[in-house]
Amino acid sequence: MAAYTKKEQIYEGKAKKLFRTEDPDKTIIEYKDSFTAFNGEKRAEMSGKGRLNNLISSEIFGFLAKRGVPLHFIERIDELSQLAVMVKILPLEVVVRNITTGSLCKRLGVGEGIKLPRPLIEFYYKDDALGDPLVTEDHALLFGWATEDDLSSMKRITLRVNDILKALFEPLGIVLVDFKLEFGKNSAGELLLADEISPDTCRFWDASTGDRLDKDRFRKDLGDVLGAYEEIWRRLSGRNKELS
Ligand code: UDP
């Protein structure tokens, strides 16, 4: 792989910055030390967070790449950044849930911690001003946020990623409760899994203690937020890579 250098910044989000490179089809993604929750209302800076999310996300993307999942991720460059395919992000967040918690319980009044008989997929429209509302597939189609093909590919890839990640985390004593994925299209119009997969975007529960090992520690002021991220990285990086 040729070495790419960071050119001008093209985007800054809540958790990452994107930079142009020599190749218009490739971007460098740099992870930040910022935490945000509740649509940006709650914020904090924690030194070391960007590094941990970059390491965790790169490890997970590498694992998915080996299993043929179409990804924007190319490689981790250093402690804070990744090289990725430049994509145009679809304005939909895809959430998959194995166990009930979070906004699902608040919205529908269902109990916490119920194991679902099969994974539940939801779409949210990415719009900060609206607070990322839950939408139906028909909304996405009729307002042009995605095509029928995009929706069916997103659902198929999301369920596959869920299966792969459950199998990755189970032997590490981690329950994959739910997570959020984002997708984008490359310059050829191909749909790729994008963004990040980290304790910011997943709920991880310790299988034996039930401890929260994810951003809920920040959302709910449970303390030792980075300790939980560190623990995810410790288990992921220390796993027997011949088995998984
Ligand atoms: N999630 C995310 N970004 C968002 C909203 C949700 O990464 O903007 C993730 C969240 O970390 C969890 C899953 O998606 O793993 C489901 O989140 P939920 O809808 O329960 O929302 P919350 O309770 O976090 O508001």
Side-chain angles (χ1 to χ4, degrees), residues 84-113:
V85 175
M86 187 82 88
V87 292
K88 189 168 169 12
I89 296 281
L90 271 61
L92 292 172
E93 295 187 342
V94 188
V95 167
V96 61
R97 302 175 185 274
N98 298 306
I99 295 177
T100 63
T101 190
S103 72
L104 175 72
C105 297
K106 274 192 217 113
R107 181 177 305 110
L108 302 180
V110 295
E112 283 264 347

PDB file of all heavy atoms in Angstrom, residues 84-113:
ATOM      1  N   ALA A  84      -9.178   5.129   4.627  1.00  0.00           N
ATOM      2  CA  ALA A  84     -10.472   4.571   4.234  1.00  0.00           C
ATOM      3  C   ALA A  84     -10.843   5.048   2.836  1.00  0.00           C
ATOM      4  O   ALA A  84     -10.326   6.054   2.348  1.00  0.00           O
ATOM      5  CB  ALA A  84     -11.547   4.993   5.229  1.00  0.00           C
ATOM      6  N   VAL A  85     -11.758   4.315   2.227  1.00  0.00           N
ATOM      7  CA  VAL A  85     -12.304   4.727   0.933  1.00  0.00           C
ATOM      8  C   VAL A  85     -13.208   5.937   1.188  1.00  0.00           C
ATOM      9  O   VAL A  85     -13.979   5.945   2.149  1.00  0.00           O
ATOM     10  CB  VAL A  85     -13.135   3.576   0.321  1.00  0.00           C
ATOM     11  CG1 VAL A  85     -13.819   4.011  -0.959  1.00  0.00           C
ATOM     12  CG2 VAL A  85     -12.264   2.350   0.097  1.00  0.00           C
ATOM     13  N   MET A  86     -13.092   6.932   0.324  1.00  0.00           N
ATOM     14  CA  MET A  86     -13.976   8.105   0.433  1.00  0.00           C
ATOM     15  C   MET A  86     -15.382   7.671   0.014  1.00  0.00           C
ATOM     16  O   MET A  86     -15.563   7.098  -1.058  1.00  0.00           O
ATOM     17  CB  MET A  86     -13.466   9.199  -0.508  1.00  0.00           C
ATOM     18  CG  MET A  86     -14.169  10.499  -0.382  1.00  0.00           C
ATOM     19  SD  MET A  86     -13.546  11.476   0.988  1.00  0.00           S
ATOM     20  CE  MET A  86     -12.193  12.363   0.207  1.00  0.00           C
ATOM     21  N   VAL A  87     -16.336   7.917   0.880  1.00  0.00           N
ATOM     22  CA  VAL A  87     -17.724   7.556   0.543  1.00  0.00           C
ATOM     23  C   VAL A  87     -18.641   8.744   0.827  1.00  0.00           C
ATOM     24  O   VAL A  87     -18.305   9.626   1.610  1.00  0.00           O
ATOM     25  CB  VAL A  87     -18.239   6.334   1.358  1.00  0.00           C
ATOM     26  CG1 VAL A  87     -17.522   5.061   0.970  1.00  0.00           C
ATOM     27  CG2 VAL A  87     -18.170   6.572   2.862  1.00  0.00           C
ATOM     28  N   LYS A  88     -19.816   8.680   0.187  1.00  0.00           N
ATOM     29  CA  LYS A  88     -20.861   9.635   0.538  1.00  0.00           C
ATOM     30  C   LYS A  88     -21.813   8.871   1.450  1.00  0.00           C
ATOM     31  O   LYS A  88     -22.364   7.834   1.066  1.00  0.00           O
ATOM     32  CB  LYS A  88     -21.561  10.089  -0.756  1.00  0.00           C
ATOM     33  CG  LYS A  88     -22.513  11.229  -0.543  1.00  0.00           C
ATOM     34  CD  LYS A  88     -22.928  11.809  -1.906  1.00  0.00           C
ATOM     35  CE  LYS A  88     -24.078  12.786  -1.869  1.00  0.00           C
ATOM     36  NZ  LYS A  88     -24.545  13.324  -0.633  1.00  0.00           N
ATOM     37  N   ILE A  89     -21.929   9.374   2.681  1.00  0.00           N
ATOM     38  CA  ILE A  89     -22.703   8.653   3.692  1.00  0.00           C
ATOM     39  C   ILE A  89     -24.208   8.794   3.420  1.00  0.00           C
ATOM     40  O   ILE A  89     -24.694   9.896   3.157  1.00  0.00           O
ATOM     41  CB  ILE A  89     -22.368   9.201   5.102  1.00  0.00           C
ATOM     42  CG1 ILE A  89     -20.886   8.937   5.455  1.00  0.00           C
ATOM     43  CG2 ILE A  89     -23.296   8.639   6.177  1.00  0.00           C
ATOM     44  CD1 ILE A  89     -20.566   7.542   5.909  1.00  0.00           C
ATOM     45  N   LEU A  90     -24.930   7.675   3.462  1.00  0.00           N
ATOM     46  CA  LEU A  90     -26.396   7.734   3.363  1.00  0.00           C
ATOM     47  C   LEU A  90     -26.942   8.327   4.664  1.00  0.00           C
ATOM     48  O   LEU A  90     -26.400   8.042   5.738  1.00  0.00           O
ATOM     49  CB  LEU A  90     -26.974   6.326   3.167  1.00  0.00           C
ATOM     50  CG  LEU A  90     -27.110   5.842   1.718  1.00  0.00           C
ATOM     51  CD1 LEU A  90     -25.781   5.778   1.014  1.00  0.00           C
ATOM     52  CD2 LEU A  90     -27.791   4.481   1.670  1.00  0.00           C
ATOM     53  N   PRO A  91     -28.022   9.108   4.586  1.00  0.00           N
ATOM     54  CA  PRO A  91     -28.484   9.801   5.801  1.00  0.00           C
ATOM     55  C   PRO A  91     -29.320   8.911   6.721  1.00  0.00           C
ATOM     56  O   PRO A  91     -30.323   9.361   7.276  1.00  0.00           O
ATOM     57  CB  PRO A  91     -29.305  10.957   5.232  1.00  0.00           C
ATOM     58  CG  PRO A  91     -29.858  10.411   3.971  1.00  0.00           C
ATOM     59  CD  PRO A  91     -28.822   9.479   3.415  1.00  0.00           C
ATOM     60  N   LEU A  92     -28.898   7.646   6.869  1.00  0.00           N
ATOM     61  CA  LEU A  92     -29.642   6.715   7.721  1.00  0.00           C
ATOM     62  C   LEU A  92     -28.684   6.025   8.678  1.00  0.00           C
ATOM     63  O   LEU A  92     -27.588   5.625   8.278  1.00  0.00           O
ATOM     64  CB  LEU A  92     -30.319   5.634   6.872  1.00  0.00           C
ATOM     65  CG  LEU A  92     -31.463   6.087   5.970  1.00  0.00           C
ATOM     66  CD1 LEU A  92     -31.877   4.939   5.054  1.00  0.00           C
ATOM     67  CD2 LEU A  92     -32.678   6.553   6.789  1.00  0.00           C
ATOM     68  N   GLU A  93     -29.102   5.892   9.931  1.00  0.00           N
ATOM     69  CA  GLU A  93     -28.376   5.053  10.877  1.00  0.00           C
ATOM     70  C   GLU A  93     -29.142   3.744  10.961  1.00  0.00           C
ATOM     71  O   GLU A  93     -30.371   3.759  11.064  1.00  0.00           O
ATOM     72  CB  GLU A  93     -28.338   5.718  12.256  1.00  0.00           C
ATOM     73  CG  GLU A  93     -27.538   7.004  12.242  1.00  0.00           C
ATOM     74  CD  GLU A  93     -27.337   7.600  13.626  1.00  0.00           C
ATOM     75  OE1 GLU A  93     -28.072   7.229  14.564  1.00  0.00           O
ATOM     76  OE2 GLU A  93     -26.435   8.445  13.754  1.00  0.00           O
ATOM     77  N   VAL A  94     -28.416   2.638  10.905  1.00  0.00           N
ATOM     78  CA  VAL A  94     -29.058   1.334  11.030  1.00  0.00           C
ATOM     79  C   VAL A  94     -28.710   0.786  12.406  1.00  0.00           C
ATOM     80  O   VAL A  94     -27.531   0.598  12.713  1.00  0.00           O
ATOM     81  CB  VAL A  94     -28.573   0.357   9.935  1.00  0.00           C
ATOM     82  CG1 VAL A  94     -29.409  -0.917   9.962  1.00  0.00           C
ATOM     83  CG2 VAL A  94     -28.629   1.008   8.560  1.00  0.00           C
ATOM     84  N   VAL A  95     -29.734   0.555  13.219  1.00  0.00           N
ATOM     85  CA  VAL A  95     -29.503   0.009  14.557  1.00  0.00           C
ATOM     86  C   VAL A  95     -29.984  -1.431  14.569  1.00  0.00           C
ATOM     87  O   VAL A  95     -31.063  -1.743  14.041  1.00  0.00           O
ATOM     88  CB  VAL A  95     -30.239   0.852  15.634  1.00  0.00           C
ATOM     89  CG1 VAL A  95     -30.292   0.135  16.977  1.00  0.00           C
ATOM     90  CG2 VAL A  95     -29.549   2.210  15.796  1.00  0.00           C
ATOM     91  N   VAL A  96     -29.175  -2.318  15.131  1.00  0.00           N
ATOM     92  CA  VAL A  96     -29.614  -3.706  15.320  1.00  0.00           C
ATOM     93  C   VAL A  96     -29.556  -4.012  16.805  1.00  0.00           C
ATOM     94  O   VAL A  96     -28.640  -3.605  17.507  1.00  0.00           O
ATOM     95  CB  VAL A  96     -28.803  -4.701  14.453  1.00  0.00           C
ATOM     96  CG1 VAL A  96     -27.337  -4.675  14.785  1.00  0.00           C
ATOM     97  CG2 VAL A  96     -29.335  -6.113  14.608  1.00  0.00           C
ATOM     98  N   ARG A  97     -30.595  -4.694  17.271  1.00  0.00           N
ATOM     99  CA  ARG A  97     -30.717  -4.972  18.708  1.00  0.00           C
ATOM    100  C   ARG A  97     -30.912  -6.469  18.945  1.00  0.00           C
ATOM    101  O   ARG A  97     -31.744  -7.086  18.281  1.00  0.00           O
ATOM    102  CB  ARG A  97     -31.932  -4.249  19.291  1.00  0.00           C
ATOM    103  CG  ARG A  97     -31.906  -2.750  19.099  1.00  0.00           C
ATOM    104  CD  ARG A  97     -33.202  -2.137  19.609  1.00  0.00           C
ATOM    105  NE  ARG A  97     -33.267  -0.707  19.332  1.00  0.00           N
ATOM    106  CZ  ARG A  97     -32.756   0.249  20.112  1.00  0.00           C
ATOM    107  NH1 ARG A  97     -32.151  -0.069  21.231  1.00  0.00           N
ATOM    108  NH2 ARG A  97     -32.877   1.516  19.783  1.00  0.00           N
ATOM    109  N   ASN A  98     -30.136  -6.994  19.899  1.00  0.00           N
ATOM    110  CA  ASN A  98     -30.305  -8.386  20.327  1.00  0.00           C
ATOM    111  C   ASN A  98     -31.032  -8.459  21.663  1.00  0.00           C
ATOM    112  O   ASN A  98     -31.681  -9.456  21.979  1.00  0.00           O
ATOM    113  CB  ASN A  98     -28.938  -9.062  20.441  1.00  0.00           C
ATOM    114  CG  ASN A  98     -28.221  -9.099  19.097  1.00  0.00           C
ATOM    115  OD1 ASN A  98     -28.778  -9.587  18.108  1.00  0.00           O
ATOM    116  ND2 ASN A  98     -27.013  -8.552  19.032  1.00  0.00           N
ATOM    117  N   ILE A  99     -30.861  -7.407  22.467  1.00  0.00           N
ATOM    118  CA  ILE A  99     -31.437  -7.332  23.816  1.00  0.00           C
ATOM    119  C   ILE A  99     -32.055  -5.947  23.968  1.00  0.00           C
ATOM    120  O   ILE A  99     -31.478  -4.954  23.497  1.00  0.00           O
ATOM    121  CB  ILE A  99     -30.327  -7.556  24.867  1.00  0.00           C
ATOM    122  CG1 ILE A  99     -29.775  -8.982  24.738  1.00  0.00           C
ATOM    123  CG2 ILE A  99     -30.842  -7.318  26.289  1.00  0.00           C
ATOM    124  CD1 ILE A  99     -28.639  -9.310  25.670  1.00  0.00           C
ATOM    125  N   THR A 100     -33.204  -5.869  24.628  1.00  0.00           N
ATOM    126  CA  THR A 100     -33.877  -4.568  24.753  1.00  0.00           C
ATOM    127  C   THR A 100     -33.165  -3.670  25.765  1.00  0.00           C
ATOM    128  O   THR A 100     -32.772  -4.118  26.842  1.00  0.00           O
ATOM    129  CB  THR A 100     -35.331  -4.739  25.226  1.00  0.00           C
ATOM    130  OG1 THR A 100     -35.317  -5.329  26.536  1.00  0.00           O
ATOM    131  CG2 THR A 100     -36.149  -5.613  24.294  1.00  0.00           C
ATOM    132  N   THR A 101     -33.005  -2.406  25.379  1.00  0.00           N
ATOM    133  CA  THR A 101     -32.509  -1.377  26.299  1.00  0.00           C
ATOM    134  C   THR A 101     -32.605  -0.024  25.587  1.00  0.00           C
ATOM    135  O   THR A 101     -33.100   0.058  24.461  1.00  0.00           O
ATOM    136  CB  THR A 101     -31.050  -1.664  26.771  1.00  0.00           C
ATOM    137  OG1 THR A 101     -30.702  -0.777  27.824  1.00  0.00           O
ATOM    138  CG2 THR A 101     -30.053  -1.523  25.650  1.00  0.00           C
ATOM    139  N   GLY A 102     -32.165   1.035  26.253  1.00  0.00           N
ATOM    140  CA  GLY A 102     -32.038   2.348  25.622  1.00  0.00           C
ATOM    141  C   GLY A 102     -33.346   2.910  25.096  1.00  0.00           C
ATOM    142  O   GLY A 102     -34.398   2.767  25.705  1.00  0.00           O
ATOM    143  N   SER A 103     -33.249   3.546  23.922  1.00  0.00           N
ATOM    144  CA  SER A 103     -34.402   4.285  23.378  1.00  0.00           C
ATOM    145  C   SER A 103     -35.574   3.358  23.061  1.00  0.00           C
ATOM    146  O   SER A 103     -36.732   3.792  23.087  1.00  0.00           O
ATOM    147  CB  SER A 103     -33.993   5.070  22.130  1.00  0.00           C
ATOM    148  OG  SER A 103     -33.770   4.195  21.049  1.00  0.00           O
ATOM    149  N   LEU A 104     -35.291   2.092  22.761  1.00  0.00           N
ATOM    150  CA  LEU A 104     -36.386   1.147  22.466  1.00  0.00           C
ATOM    151  C   LEU A 104     -37.322   1.020  23.663  1.00  0.00           C
ATOM    152  O   LEU A 104     -38.549   1.052  23.525  1.00  0.00           O
ATOM    153  CB  LEU A 104     -35.789  -0.220  22.120  1.00  0.00           C
ATOM    154  CG  LEU A 104     -36.775  -1.363  21.894  1.00  0.00           C
ATOM    155  CD1 LEU A 104     -37.513  -1.174  20.570  1.00  0.00           C
ATOM    156  CD2 LEU A 104     -36.055  -2.714  21.881  1.00  0.00           C
ATOM    157  N   CYS A 105     -36.715   0.884  24.851  1.00  0.00           N
ATOM    158  CA  CYS A 105     -37.524   0.711  26.071  1.00  0.00           C
ATOM    159  C   CYS A 105     -38.283   1.997  26.397  1.00  0.00           C
ATOM    160  O   CYS A 105     -39.448   1.950  26.772  1.00  0.00           O
ATOM    161  CB  CYS A 105     -36.635   0.300  27.245  1.00  0.00           C
ATOM    162  SG  CYS A 105     -35.864  -1.298  26.957  1.00  0.00           S
ATOM    163  N   LYS A 106     -37.593   3.140  26.220  1.00  0.00           N
ATOM    164  CA  LYS A 106     -38.256   4.429  26.500  1.00  0.00           C
ATOM    165  C   LYS A 106     -39.428   4.646  25.558  1.00  0.00           C
ATOM    166  O   LYS A 106     -40.506   5.058  25.969  1.00  0.00           O
ATOM    167  CB  LYS A 106     -37.259   5.581  26.323  1.00  0.00           C
ATOM    168  CG  LYS A 106     -36.466   5.841  27.575  1.00  0.00           C
ATOM    169  CD  LYS A 106     -35.696   7.159  27.469  1.00  0.00           C
ATOM    170  CE  LYS A 106     -34.347   7.008  28.130  1.00  0.00           C
ATOM    171  NZ  LYS A 106     -33.221   7.068  27.227  1.00  0.00           N
ATOM    172  N   ARG A 107     -39.198   4.358  24.266  1.00  0.00           N
ATOM    173  CA  ARG A 107     -40.220   4.669  23.265  1.00  0.00           C
ATOM    174  C   ARG A 107     -41.426   3.752  23.386  1.00  0.00           C
ATOM    175  O   ARG A 107     -42.561   4.196  23.270  1.00  0.00           O
ATOM    176  CB  ARG A 107     -39.614   4.550  21.856  1.00  0.00           C
ATOM    177  CG  ARG A 107     -40.590   4.887  20.738  1.00  0.00           C
ATOM    178  CD  ARG A 107     -39.951   4.823  19.359  1.00  0.00           C
ATOM    179  NE  ARG A 107     -38.772   5.659  19.282  1.00  0.00           N
ATOM    180  CZ  ARG A 107     -37.522   5.205  19.198  1.00  0.00           C
ATOM    181  NH1 ARG A 107     -37.279   3.912  19.150  1.00  0.00           N
ATOM    182  NH2 ARG A 107     -36.522   6.027  19.155  1.00  0.00           N
ATOM    183  N   LEU A 108     -41.183   2.459  23.627  1.00  0.00           N
ATOM    184  CA  LEU A 108     -42.278   1.491  23.550  1.00  0.00           C
ATOM    185  C   LEU A 108     -42.736   0.977  24.918  1.00  0.00           C
ATOM    186  O   LEU A 108     -43.691   0.205  25.000  1.00  0.00           O
ATOM    187  CB  LEU A 108     -41.878   0.303  22.662  1.00  0.00           C
ATOM    188  CG  LEU A 108     -41.488   0.679  21.223  1.00  0.00           C
ATOM    189  CD1 LEU A 108     -41.118  -0.562  20.425  1.00  0.00           C
ATOM    190  CD2 LEU A 108     -42.626   1.428  20.520  1.00  0.00           C
ATOM    191  N   GLY A 109     -42.039   1.387  25.986  1.00  0.00           N
ATOM    192  CA  GLY A 109     -42.441   0.949  27.322  1.00  0.00           C
ATOM    193  C   GLY A 109     -42.196  -0.531  27.580  1.00  0.00           C
ATOM    194  O   GLY A 109     -42.796  -1.103  28.495  1.00  0.00           O
ATOM    195  N   VAL A 110     -41.305  -1.141  26.777  1.00  0.00           N
ATOM    196  CA  VAL A 110     -40.994  -2.561  27.016  1.00  0.00           C
ATOM    197  C   VAL A 110     -39.874  -2.654  28.062  1.00  0.00           C
ATOM    198  O   VAL A 110     -39.116  -1.710  28.270  1.00  0.00           O
ATOM    199  CB  VAL A 110     -40.582  -3.302  25.719  1.00  0.00           C
ATOM    200  CG1 VAL A 110     -41.738  -3.351  24.742  1.00  0.00           C
ATOM    201  CG2 VAL A 110     -39.370  -2.651  25.061  1.00  0.00           C
ATOM    202  N   GLY A 111     -39.803  -3.803  28.737  1.00  0.00           N
ATOM    203  CA  GLY A 111     -38.823  -3.977  29.813  1.00  0.00           C
ATOM    204  C   GLY A 111     -37.394  -3.982  29.293  1.00  0.00           C
ATOM    205  O   GLY A 111     -37.148  -4.240  28.113  1.00  0.00           O
ATOM    206  N   GLU A 112     -36.462  -3.718  30.198  1.00  0.00           N
ATOM    207  CA  GLU A 112     -35.021  -3.707  29.897  1.00  0.00           C
ATOM    208  C   GLU A 112     -34.463  -5.121  29.938  1.00  0.00           C
ATOM    209  O   GLU A 112     -34.882  -5.921  30.777  1.00  0.00           O
ATOM    210  CB  GLU A 112     -34.277  -2.953  31.005  1.00  0.00           C
ATOM    211  CG  GLU A 112     -34.368  -1.469  30.969  1.00  0.00           C
ATOM    212  CD  GLU A 112     -33.164  -0.840  30.274  1.00  0.00           C
ATOM    213  OE1 GLU A 112     -32.170  -1.545  30.056  1.00  0.00           O
ATOM    214  OE2 GLU A 112     -33.271   0.343  29.937  1.00  0.00           O
ATOM    215  N   GLY A 113     -33.495  -5.380  29.088  1.00  0.00           N
ATOM    216  CA  GLY A 113     -32.712  -6.615  29.203  1.00  0.00           C
ATOM    217  C   GLY A 113     -33.428  -7.868  28.719  1.00  0.00           C
ATOM    218  O   GLY A 113     -33.044  -8.975  29.062  1.00  0.00           O
TER     219      GLY A 113
END
